[in-house]
mmCIF file of all heavy atoms in Angstrom:
data_model
loop_
_atom_site.group_PDB
_atom_site.id
_atom_site.type_symbol
_atom_site.label_atom_id
_atom_site.label_comp_id
_atom_site.label_asym_id
_atom_site.label_seq_id
_atom_site.Cartn_x
_atom_site.Cartn_y
_atom_site.Cartn_z
ATOM 1 N N ASN A 80 12.008 17.660 4.777
ATOM 2 C CA ASN A 80 12.651 17.575 3.479
ATOM 3 C C ASN A 80 14.189 17.419 3.684
ATOM 4 O O ASN A 80 14.977 18.071 3.002
ATOM 5 C CB ASN A 80 12.369 18.829 2.606
ATOM 6 C CG ASN A 80 10.949 18.818 2.100
ATOM 7 O OD1 ASN A 80 10.133 17.942 2.429
ATOM 8 N ND2 ASN A 80 10.587 19.860 1.368
ATOM 9 N N ARG A 81 14.541 16.473 4.548
ATOM 10 C CA ARG A 81 15.962 16.349 4.904
ATOM 11 C C ARG A 81 16.277 14.894 5.219
ATOM 12 O O ARG A 81 15.488 14.206 5.788
ATOM 13 C CB ARG A 81 16.306 17.256 6.063
ATOM 14 C CG ARG A 81 17.676 17.151 6.571
ATOM 15 C CD ARG A 81 17.932 18.095 7.732
ATOM 16 N NE ARG A 81 17.720 19.533 7.397
ATOM 17 C CZ ARG A 81 17.619 20.504 8.325
ATOM 18 N NH1 ARG A 81 17.669 20.201 9.562
ATOM 19 N NH2 ARG A 81 17.492 21.706 7.873
ATOM 20 N N LEU A 82 17.484 14.469 4.782
ATOM 21 C CA LEU A 82 18.024 13.211 5.152
ATOM 22 C C LEU A 82 19.237 13.390 5.999
ATOM 23 O O LEU A 82 20.188 14.033 5.644
ATOM 24 C CB LEU A 82 18.391 12.381 3.909
ATOM 25 C CG LEU A 82 19.039 11.012 4.117
ATOM 26 C CD1 LEU A 82 18.052 10.085 4.726
ATOM 27 C CD2 LEU A 82 19.544 10.507 2.797
ATOM 28 N N ARG A 83 19.185 12.893 7.278
ATOM 29 C CA ARG A 83 20.325 13.024 8.214
ATOM 30 C C ARG A 83 21.188 11.762 8.139
ATOM 31 O O ARG A 83 20.652 10.675 8.424
ATOM 32 C CB ARG A 83 19.792 13.284 9.626
ATOM 33 C CG ARG A 83 19.069 14.597 9.732
ATOM 34 C CD ARG A 83 18.370 14.692 11.081
ATOM 35 N NE ARG A 83 19.265 14.583 12.197
ATOM 36 C CZ ARG A 83 20.035 15.550 12.743
ATOM 37 N NH1 ARG A 83 19.891 16.800 12.203
ATOM 38 N NH2 ARG A 83 20.835 15.362 13.722
ATOM 39 N N VAL A 84 22.458 11.925 7.828
ATOM 40 C CA VAL A 84 23.408 10.838 7.738
ATOM 41 C C VAL A 84 24.527 11.070 8.740
ATOM 42 O O VAL A 84 25.301 11.988 8.611
ATOM 43 C CB VAL A 84 23.972 10.667 6.314
ATOM 44 C CG1 VAL A 84 24.846 9.467 6.213
ATOM 45 C CG2 VAL A 84 22.873 10.585 5.350
ATOM 46 N N GLY A 85 24.547 10.252 9.775
ATOM 47 C CA GLY A 85 25.561 10.427 10.825
ATOM 48 C C GLY A 85 26.648 9.443 10.773
ATOM 49 O O GLY A 85 26.393 8.294 10.345
ATOM 50 N N GLY A 86 27.853 9.808 11.208
ATOM 51 C CA GLY A 86 28.988 8.937 11.253
ATOM 52 C C GLY A 86 30.267 9.592 11.623
ATOM 53 O O GLY A 86 30.266 10.791 12.054
ATOM 54 N N VAL A 87 31.347 8.878 11.505
ATOM 55 C CA VAL A 87 32.706 9.399 11.865
ATOM 56 C C VAL A 87 33.372 9.955 10.651
ATOM 57 O O VAL A 87 33.312 9.358 9.550
ATOM 58 C CB VAL A 87 33.520 8.229 12.489
ATOM 59 C CG1 VAL A 87 34.972 8.763 12.797
ATOM 60 C CG2 VAL A 87 32.886 7.773 13.828
ATOM 61 N N ILE A 88 33.982 11.098 10.791
ATOM 62 C CA ILE A 88 34.736 11.766 9.706
ATOM 63 C C ILE A 88 35.982 11.027 9.418
ATOM 64 O O ILE A 88 36.865 10.818 10.268
ATOM 65 C CB ILE A 88 35.078 13.226 10.070
ATOM 66 C CG1 ILE A 88 33.809 14.007 10.281
ATOM 67 C CG2 ILE A 88 35.884 13.849 8.945
ATOM 68 C CD1 ILE A 88 34.044 15.432 10.810
ATOM 69 N N VAL A 89 36.127 10.476 8.182
ATOM 70 C CA VAL A 89 37.371 9.756 7.788
ATOM 71 C C VAL A 89 38.142 10.525 6.749
ATOM 72 O O VAL A 89 39.316 10.208 6.527
ATOM 73 C CB VAL A 89 36.954 8.355 7.151
ATOM 74 C CG1 VAL A 89 36.284 7.436 8.200
ATOM 75 C CG2 VAL A 89 35.990 8.492 5.911
ATOM 76 N N SER A 90 37.591 11.619 6.246
ATOM 77 C CA SER A 90 38.341 12.523 5.351
ATOM 78 C C SER A 90 37.749 13.892 5.456
ATOM 79 O O SER A 90 36.489 13.973 5.543
ATOM 80 C CB SER A 90 38.313 11.993 3.849
ATOM 81 O OG SER A 90 39.049 12.917 3.022
ATOM 82 N N CYS A 91 38.566 14.939 5.446
ATOM 83 C CA CYS A 91 38.064 16.266 5.659
ATOM 84 C C CYS A 91 39.002 17.273 5.144
ATOM 85 O O CYS A 91 40.229 17.037 5.091
ATOM 86 C CB CYS A 91 37.744 16.468 7.153
ATOM 87 S SG CYS A 91 37.031 18.042 7.537
ATOM 88 N N SER A 92 38.520 18.433 4.763
ATOM 89 C CA SER A 92 39.359 19.519 4.346
ATOM 90 C C SER A 92 40.195 20.131 5.490
ATOM 91 O O SER A 92 41.054 20.919 5.293
ATOM 92 C CB SER A 92 38.548 20.623 3.620
ATOM 93 O OG SER A 92 37.437 21.025 4.444
ATOM 94 N N ARG A 93 39.833 19.739 6.727
ATOM 95 C CA ARG A 93 40.632 20.111 7.876
ATOM 96 C C ARG A 93 40.946 18.818 8.611
ATOM 97 O O ARG A 93 40.146 18.115 9.125
ATOM 98 C CB ARG A 93 39.838 20.995 8.879
ATOM 99 C CG ARG A 93 39.688 22.454 8.410
ATOM 100 C CD ARG A 93 38.912 23.207 9.508
ATOM 101 N NE ARG A 93 39.578 23.118 10.797
ATOM 102 C CZ ARG A 93 40.080 24.140 11.489
ATOM 103 N NH1 ARG A 93 39.988 25.378 11.029
ATOM 104 N NH2 ARG A 93 40.673 24.001 12.642
ATOM 105 N N GLU A 94 42.273 18.524 8.591
ATOM 106 C CA GLU A 94 42.737 17.247 9.221
ATOM 107 C C GLU A 94 42.399 17.106 10.693
ATOM 108 O O GLU A 94 42.315 16.053 11.239
ATOM 109 C CB GLU A 94 44.218 17.082 8.970
ATOM 110 C CG GLU A 94 44.566 16.880 7.517
ATOM 111 C CD GLU A 94 46.037 16.446 7.326
ATOM 112 O OE1 GLU A 94 46.748 16.364 8.326
ATOM 113 O OE2 GLU A 94 46.495 16.269 6.217
ATOM 114 N N ASP A 95 42.336 18.254 11.439
ATOM 115 C CA ASP A 95 42.103 18.200 12.867
ATOM 116 C C ASP A 95 40.707 17.729 13.183
ATOM 117 O O ASP A 95 40.369 17.496 14.342
ATOM 118 C CB ASP A 95 42.400 19.568 13.525
ATOM 119 C CG ASP A 95 41.483 20.666 13.003
ATOM 120 O OD1 ASP A 95 40.805 20.459 11.965
ATOM 121 O OD2 ASP A 95 41.477 21.763 13.648
ATOM 122 N N GLN A 96 39.810 17.569 12.151
ATOM 123 C CA GLN A 96 38.469 17.080 12.430
ATOM 124 C C GLN A 96 38.320 15.531 12.195
ATOM 125 O O GLN A 96 37.217 15.028 12.408
ATOM 126 C CB GLN A 96 37.475 17.832 11.501
ATOM 127 C CG GLN A 96 37.448 19.367 11.751
ATOM 128 C CD GLN A 96 37.125 19.666 13.197
ATOM 129 O OE1 GLN A 96 36.064 19.305 13.674
ATOM 130 N NE2 GLN A 96 38.064 20.371 13.844
ATOM 131 N N LEU A 97 39.358 14.945 11.738
ATOM 132 C CA LEU A 97 39.330 13.479 11.532
ATOM 133 C C LEU A 97 39.020 12.727 12.779
ATOM 134 O O LEU A 97 39.538 13.085 13.878
ATOM 135 C CB LEU A 97 40.644 12.975 10.905
ATOM 136 C CG LEU A 97 41.006 13.499 9.517
ATOM 137 C CD1 LEU A 97 42.413 12.984 9.135
ATOM 138 C CD2 LEU A 97 39.951 13.104 8.480
#
Side-chain angles (χ1 to χ4, degrees):
N80 290 0
R81 178 180 297 170
L82 177 66
R83 295 170 57 84
V84 183
V87 175
I88 298 174
V89 295
S90 177
C91 183
S92 50
R93 285 184 56 118
E94 290 189 2
D95 60 350
Q96 298 303 301
L97 295 177

